[in-house]
Amino acid sequence: MSLNKTRSRFLQRLQHRKHREREGCFVVEGVRAASAALDAGADIHFAVTSPRLETLDQNNQLITRLADGDFETTSVDEKDFATLTNTVTPQGILLVCTKPAMALDSLLPDDKESGGKILVADAIQDPANLASMVRTSAAFGLDGLVVLEGTVDPWNAKVVRGSAGGCFRIKIVKTTAKECLDWIQNSSVILLTAEVGGGDIAAARFPMPWALVVGNEGSGIRPEFRDAAHESVSVPICCEAESLNAGVATAILCYEMTQWNRQ
């Protein structure tokens, strides 16, 4: 079976950020990410598979779930499937899903003392780093990830795939730096910045709700967040090492902060 031209062109458009934003949709590739989308009850428009999926899908569990879904699944050959994705080694499954619409207020529970752990990505441009931040947010039970302008699109196929399903387990809010900072200040959220030279995160103690801002590896955090921060925190490293990448640093910082909150 072949995919009709309308859907084929639609998938090709979704490889570009401006079209994802215009259409309100994104592409999910790979067995793990597709399974996570189904688990989360994502709004799926349609699915496309290739014969390779049969070799990767243990006991045909994913294939059965696709067949039971209330959306259309089209099977194509490997050559046609390769034209629909920019993945080097496709796993024979992709979904087209509606992008979730989340607001900043959704990140805070009614009882702020029992929740409100927020990560803010400030101009993170590497898809792998943002994917790691999404995955970390989900792994440590954060209430959401705020993505500011200048950051790679969280619905970029590489980010979605690299998040290992994390993008379906946390709330992701895209907004401007001004809107985010105004909201943090008006909501009485403790603002923390991750910066070289900040206080040792292992000794930090911050009640919820808090928002941790992690900035671009090259230029760091934008001045307005630095100026408004209650405190800056860091991961102490040996003097021989220049720095940790944003994804690794975020994982360590979030572990330490959520560890104290749990206790």
Side-chain angles (χ1 to χ4, degrees):
M1 186 183 299
S2 62
L3 192 67
N4 66 54
K5 291 183 179 180
T6 299
R7 287 188 170 177
S8 179
R9 290 170 181 165
F10 183 59
L11 280 167
Q12 291 171 357
R13 290 200 302 274
L14 292 182
Q15 293 182 12
H16 303 282
R17 182 171 189 159
K18 66 177 183 180
H19 291 297
R20 290 193 295 272
E21 292 178 348
R22 180 182 303 165
E23 302 289 350
C25 297
F26 67 105
V27 177
V28 178
E29 298 181 38
V31 172
R32 179 183 292 184
S35 297
L38 289 165
D39 291 342
D43 181 15
I44 301 172
H45 292 261
F46 63 90
V48 183
T49 64
S50 77
R52 178 166 171 74
L53 178 60
E54 297 178 7
T55 67
L56 299 175
D57 182 23
Q58 296 182 355
N59 301 319
N60 292 327
Q61 292 181 354
L62 181 53
I63 293 174
T64 299
R65 295 182 70 183
L66 293 174
D68 292 340
D70 57 354
F71 50 85
E72 184 178 332
T73 298
T74 303
S75 297
V76 301
D77 61 33
E78 300 297 348
K79 182 178 179 180
D80 286 343
F81 192 89
T83 67
L84 304 175
T85 174
N86 55 14
T87 305
V88 176
T89 308
Q91 295 185 345
I93 171 66
L94 65 80
L95 311 174
V96 173
C97 302
T98 299
K99 292 200 301 183
M102 296 291 177
L104 288 167
D105 284 340
S106 70
L107 305 182
L108 290 181
D110 293 333
D111 178 9
K112 293 182 180 180
E113 293 184 358
S114 66
K117 304 182 293 293
I118 301 162
L119 182 63
V120 180
D122 182 11
I124 301 296
Q125 298 174 344
D126 184 345
N129 275 338
L130 187 62
S132 177
M133 293 171 74
V134 174
R135 193 169 181 174
T136 292
S137 299
F140 292 121
L142 269 61
D143 295 283
L145 170 67
V146 179
V147 177
L148 305 183
E149 68 266 38
T151 298
V152 64
D153 183 12
W155 306 112
N156 174 308
K158 291 182 180 179
V159 178
V160 174
R161 186 169 59 250
S163 75
C167 61
F168 298 106
R169 295 193 291 272
I170 63 163
K171 297 174 181 177
I172 299 177
V173 179
K174 292 175 63 177
T175 188
T176 66
K178 183 181 185 308
E179 290 175 347
C180 179
L181 186 54
D182 288 347
W183 176 78
I184 286 173
Q185 293 175 329
N186 293 333
S187 302
S188 299
V189 174
I190 294 175
L191 177 60
L192 307 169
T193 54
E195 298 186 82
V196 175
D200 185 345
I201 186 61
R205 296 291 184 269
F206 300 105
M208 296 179 286
W210 50 256
L212 173 66
V213 184
V214 178
N216 180 281
E217 290 182 29
S219 56
I221 292 167
R222 64 190 75 201
E224 53 264 45
F225 280 95
R226 184 180 297 114
D227 294 342
H230 292 85
E231 193 165 335
S232 64
V233 294
S234 68
V235 178
I237 58 176
C238 297
C239 58
E240 291 83 1
E242 181 180 345
S243 65
L244 298 172
N245 73 37
V248 171
T250 298
I252 298 172
L253 291 167
C254 287
Y255 169 77
E256 290 287 354
M257 294 187 68
T258 55
Q259 177 79 355
W260 183 81
N261 286 144
R262 284 195 296 272
Q263 293 174 351

